[in-house]
Amino acid sequence: MRIDLHTHTDVSDGTTSPTQLVRDAAAAGLDVLGLTDHDTARGWDEAAAAAREEGVALVRGMELSTRLDDGRGVHLLAYLPDPTTPGLVAELERVLGGRGGRVPEMVARLNEHGMAITVEDVARQAGDTAALGRPHVADALVAAGYVAHRDDAFAAWLEAGRPAYVGRYAAPLTRMIGLVEQAGGVTVIAHPWGRHDPSSLPATALAELRDAGLGGIEVDHQDHSPEQRRELRAIADDLDLVRTGSSDHHGEGKRDHDLGCNLTDPEQLERLLARAAAAAARSGAAVPPGPFADQPPG
Ligand code: AMP
Ligand code: FE
Ligand code: FE
Ligand code: ZN
């Protein structure tokens, strides 16, 4: 069984629609697909309809913007929460507001550096995304011919420490872990040692997060070297955390993140779903259907 648990669509900063993502997943030979747009569940229904058509098992998820006490960002994957739980909704609204609110400042800084793009240019690139962000600013720079690819826009202008970087609100990590659990879902830290979102998460910190309810860590990710993967795998096993592997596919938006380029072991998916089911039972939340609700694992 081929399982990829972390992907994006144009509902956030991917470049394909939810329907197209599911079709691409089927074409890539995936049996199970995790849809994890940033800070929104808006793509779930469309993806679920396509998944039924294509015979792909869909794991409804999100990738949540959180931060450590020192301010550093951590991306938290949340699988199968009820996205209408009030506490979670309130945090997501705050995060989404902060995402879009900084666009004028980023544009102003780019203007100062001689790049004549406008907020409207960014909005055009963003289309009707639920989660506006730096990727759409990057797309506006590509469209205007200032850089060749999104990656280049980040490296030159948009990464932390570059001239047009502007921070934004992110929810405290342990609080978000608790909110997802109360919403009947299970959490996995995305690319914990990733090069694009460097956090400070040694094994001791991961142990504390596990005690706060964390369900797993993403071990196999393109941002992790073979050595980091070995280390993270050992930490996960030691701490009894679920370990996942995923593409973090963004369509054309990220190079070298093809669907299925990293996979999750079926036993690990089973553990993840068991933890989600336990949280759902504890919370009584109206959680979404799991991946095998429509078709049994095959
Ligand atoms: P934002 O959420 O607006 O701060 O933008 C962060 C998003 O930009 C992440 O979710 C990534 O998908 C993307 N991103 C971050 N760093 C890079 C990079 N160096 N190249 C391409 N995309 C990136
Ligand atoms: Fe992204
Ligand atoms: Fe991420
Ligand atoms: Zn991601």
Side-chain angles (χ1 to χ4, degrees):
M1 195 160 45
R2 286 166 57 80
I3 304 164
D4 183 344
L5 289 181
H6 178 173
T7 65
H8 298 264
T9 73
D10 61 9
V11 168
S12 65
D13 60 348
T15 59
T16 57
S17 67
T19 300
Q20 191 59 47
L21 173 76
V22 171
R23 287 182 185 157
D24 292 347
L30 294 178
D31 304 290
V32 181
L33 175 72
L35 169 62
T36 54
D37 274 311
H38 295 284
D39 304 312
T40 181
R42 203 176 78 191
W44 287 6
D45 288 350
E46 183 186 324
R52 275 189 296 274
E53 293 253 309
E54 297 289 337
V56 170
L58 183 74
V59 183
R60 292 161 175 82
M62 292 185 260
E63 184 176 17
L64 305 172
S65 304
T66 79
R67 61 164 173 81
L68 297 167
D69 291 340
D70 67 8
R72 278 197 262 187
V74 173
H75 286 180
L76 183 69
L77 297 162
Y79 296 105
L80 299 167
D82 170 6
T84 67
T85 310
L88 186 57
V89 169
E91 273 298 352
L92 290 181
E93 279 176 2
R94 219 173 145 188
V95 168
L96 292 171
R99 284 183 152 280
R102 70 193 160 143
V103 169
E105 173 68 17
M106 288 193 278
V107 167
R109 294 202 197 170
L110 291 165
N111 293 164
E112 280 167 28
H113 285 84
M115 282 159 285
I117 64 161
T118 64
V119 170
E120 290 68 40
D121 293 334
V122 176
R124 202 170 311 117
Q125 293 303 320
D128 71 345
T129 179
L132 193 58
R134 287 181 288 163
H136 307 106
V137 178
D139 290 346
L141 291 174
V142 173
Y146 293 114
V147 293
H149 189 273
R150 230 187 226 189
D151 288 339
D152 306 319
F154 270 89
W157 302 106
L158 297 169
E159 270 171 12
R162 305 306 298 165
Y165 173 77
V166 181
R168 63 176 164 83
Y169 176 77
L173 174 57
T174 46
R175 178 174 156 68
M176 200 53 126
I177 288 172
L179 285 173
V180 172
E181 205 176 12
Q182 287 159 31
V186 62
T187 49
V188 172
I189 304 251
H191 42 76
W193 295 350
R195 62 203 148 125
H196 293 317
D197 312 278
S199 55
S200 42
L201 292 174
T204 48
L206 293 169
E208 282 173 25
L209 293 169
R210 180 213 44 199
D211 294 343
L214 178 69
I217 57 176
E218 192 174 60
V219 169
D220 288 307
H221 184 280
Q222 295 302 78
D223 277 7
H224 295 152
S225 68
E227 178 57 33
Q228 286 178 316
R229 294 179 191 212
R230 272 194 296 276
E231 254 187 83
L232 283 167
R233 171 180 286 260
I235 291 171
D237 291 347
D238 188 43
L239 296 178
D240 190 35
L241 288 164
V242 176
R243 57 184 149 74
T244 67
S246 306
S247 65
D248 200 359
H249 182 70
H250 281 67
E252 299 297 310
K254 255 188 192 180
R255 295 180 181 127
D256 194 27
H257 286 260
D258 293 342
L259 285 166
C261 65
N262 297 297
L263 297 170
T264 296
D265 296 339
E267 319 82 75
Q268 298 295 319
L269 175 62
E270 246 175 69
R271 292 176 70 207
L272 189 72
L273 296 176
R275 288 181 187 199
R282 275 195 304 275
S283 67
V287 296
F292 305 118
D294 298 320
Q295 63 241 11

